[in-house]
Amino acid sequence: QKEVEQDPGPLSVPEGAIVSLNCTYSNSAFQYFMWYRQYSRKGPELLMYTYSSGNKEDGRFTAQVDKSSKYISLFIRDSQPSDSATYLCAMTVGDFNKFYFGSGTKLNVKP
Amino acid sequence: EAQVTQNPRYLITVTGKKLTVTCSQNMNHEYMSWYRQDPGLGLRQIYYSMNVEVTDKGDVPEGYKVSRKEKRNFPLILESPSPNQTSLYFCASSRKAAYGANVLTFGAGSRLTVL
């Protein structure tokens, strides 16, 4: 079993929809939770990160962590065609540089 | 502009022909790492370096070598490439962010095909 599981999609939604992207994990020691966005033919770029449980909001994006369920989510409000990309979740234990990545969910937002 | 630069971006080679993928960062980061990305498998770490002259194996190091002689550079070496090393490769460096989080900055990727 992988330490981080992520549905690969693809997920196709109409413009303006609310998108929910999710990851589950098995290691209760994970403390930092990140979301990276990867456009086609580009490297992943950091979207947001959170420490421990709770929510964090940045514009149209909200990251949510539920440590009791070992479940993290990324919500995108008012989705735009420019949000079409692959979204990768990642986690670390403490301040170590060992990153555990999900396999990525491909999102397509249709105009 | 703060960035990680990889070269070449695209490369087609043949089995057994040694090649090097260069990686350079201009952010004075101590930690650097190489990943490969394959469909369905996500990002897997090949090697990482905590600082100059300090390197260690990641999850899939077989068939690869690295060196870290300078802080800014971290080349990936394939001494004798094989077709199973056909993949998309990313170099990344890490910085400390708020709350003690380490966050990665990735290069644009190097797509390697081994025939």
Side-chain angles (χ1 to χ4, degrees), chain B residues 4 30 55 57 64 71 80:
Chain B
V4 177
E30 292 181 348
T55 63
K57 297 176 181 178
Y64 305 94
K71 198 171 188 178
S80 182

Side-chain angles (χ1 to χ4, degrees), chain B residues 2 5 34 37 48 53 57 59 67 70 73 78 91 97 99 101 105:
Chain B
T5 303
W34 277 101
Q37 187 176 41
Y48 64 94
E53 302 290 2
K57 297 176 181 178
D59 299 316
S67 69
E70 306 165 277
N73 295 324
L78 285 73
C91 180
Y99 311 111
T105 300

